[in-house]
Amino acid sequence: MRVISLLVVLLSWSWMLLVQQSGLAADVLSKLDTREVLIGQPFEVKYSISNQLVKFSPYWDYSSFDDRVDLVVIESNEEEVEGAFLLRMNLVLFDTGSIVIPQIKVISNLINELDTFYSRELEVAVFAPDDFVAELLPIRDILGEPVGKSRNWYWITVVLILLTLALLILFFFHKRKNRLAMEQRIKEVNPNEEALSALHTLGEEGLIEKGEINHYHSELNYIFRRWIERRFEIDALGMTGQELSVHLRSIGVEDEKIRDWTDMLRTIDGIKYARGKPSGDFHENVFVEVKEMVERELERDRQSKEKE
């Protein structure tokens, strides 16, 4: 048995060596019908593999062509002619220059369980026709083409965002313009006339009769401080009585006026925190004194203008 097994192994090795050395099955021959083609012009490539000693069924694998965007397989045919296996392929190239056609594989069970043989790469020179002109689509036509729903929604969103921003900007400038216009109108109103108008409105509200004493004197305090602030362009509303006195003195206001005005502010503030309730005449007298202070300054301003 050992002798028989040894003979079988020796015969197998001898057979494999004979097949490999024959060179008939290890080569995939390739042939071009032309070496120069025009771009887009079909041409034929022929591949063949043969073996006269052993019968086998090859599998042609040209999947490497699928990765090429410039190479298109129009048609492929497989056939067997007298022990040779042929693959005919009609190809088209869509690029110019020296183009390399990739290898193809032939898979068979000729020698081992699965054997693979490769063709060589082929090189083709591709030219453009003399009258070839690349066709370009007009930009206007491209822009005029309808777009899909997703593209439409994209542009709609962009337009809505831009419109929203534009409206916000317009609203901001409109509001700012109104504020500036109001500030300008306030500046144009004489501080004395503004204070007298506010005092008239306060008197018409009847807060004393309603028992809203603190509210009444808070409004009176605001009107009086606002009048000083606008008249001398200082922050009278944000100052204490002492700070206001020092500031008025620093800008040259007469001491008598400073004393009268700060005393009046202390009187108005004191009423809000007083435990007892002053009589109605007291509130009326404070109101009249504030009004007379404003009217005296108004009259002095008129006299100064007349002298000018």
Side-chain angles (χ1 to χ4, degrees), residues 188-199 227 294 298 302:
E188 292 174 355
V189 176
N190 186 282
N192 300 319
E193 295 175 355
E194 180 188 21
L196 291 174
S197 176
L199 288 170
W227 171 69
V294 176
L298 177 62
R302 288 175 180 172

Side-chain angles (χ1 to χ4, degrees), residues 190-220:
N190 186 282
N192 300 319
E193 295 175 355
E194 180 188 21
L196 291 174
S197 176
L199 288 170
H200 176 76
T201 302
L202 178 62
E204 294 292 327
E205 290 179 352
L207 296 177
I208 298 298
E209 291 77 4
K210 297 176 183 178
E212 300 180 15
I213 306 300
N214 288 342
H215 185 190
Y216 176 83
H217 285 282
S218 294
E219 290 293 324
L220 188 60

